Amino acid sequence: MRNALAAGLALLMSATLAPPPASAAIIFGFEQAGPTVATHIGPHPGGPNDVLTVGQFILEDRIVGGGYRLSADNNRHPVGAPIAPAPPGLLDLFFATFDRGSALIGGLAQFLTPNANPGNGQYYNFLLAGAAGSVFPTGSITYNNSESDARLVLGADGAVSGRYNTDRGGPCGWTGACSFSGQLTATRIPDPAPVVAVPEPASLALFGLGLAGLAALRRWVRPARAR
């Protein structure tokens, strides 16, 4: 697990995301609450405990608590079109699933960039729908790079359920899929957000994902040492 998470975090650190928003916003963070559970164990090596999903999305606080609908689907953008603008109110979105030294990543750019070959299985889709008086949106987030696929469903209470499947084999591949769950957290960024000069643009999402991954690693490594 340590090697897989380290490799995944290295990929995250190499990503270039949007700079911190200049106006008040809400960060919705997700960390997998427990190990993945294989629906069917096949003859391939590896275990569902080697898989971890973390992520977050950032919304302008002016829309949180009201009725809104945000969506994007890279297979519905016209082929050859330039990158589509993010729906108003959505500032950033980034999810990643780490699996035995590799990472399936779904960043905002993937969701907004037209798929040059819609039949290749690369599918990035999100739908977030808010209701008046509710902090957490409902909806779904899917990121598929044609080899691996993760699908998350968001509940009105912030609960998240997900499924992960990969062509790389193991209990989450070929012979079945793995399920997992977790809970969203909501954190408000003050207005105005502080401006920090950095060599490269870096999103608060990146920092939050790194902390979430390290925290999960500490929790899962301790039981392993006890054995």
Side-chain angles (χ1 to χ4, degrees), residues 63-155:
I63 70 170
V64 176
Y68 61 89
R69 181 183 176 91
L70 310 173
S71 66
D73 184 337
N74 75 313
N75 277 333
R76 293 185 180 178
H77 301 323
V79 175
I83 185 170
L90 176 66
L91 300 177
D92 208 350
L93 184 147
F94 193 92
F95 278 80
T97 298
F98 307 111
D99 177 13
R100 295 176 291 158
S102 68
L104 167 63
I105 293 176
L108 186 59
Q110 278 92 359
F111 291 93
L112 300 178
T113 301
N115 188 353
N117 182 8
N120 65 359
Q122 294 186 6
Y123 179 59
Y124 298 86
N125 169 273
F126 69 79
L127 171 62
L128 303 175
S134 176
V135 173
F136 296 108
T138 59
S140 61
I141 299 171
T142 299
Y143 44 108
N144 184 332
N145 65 2
S146 77
E147 178 185 76
S148 301
D149 174 76
R151 302 169 185 266
L152 292 79
V153 177
L154 285 59

Side-chain angles (χ1 to χ4, degrees), residues 2 6 30 37 44 65 71 76 105 114 159 161 186 190-191 193 199 215:
R2 182 185 297 270
F30 171 76
V37 178
H44 308 291
S71 66
R76 293 185 180 178
I105 293 176
S161 60
D191 183 12

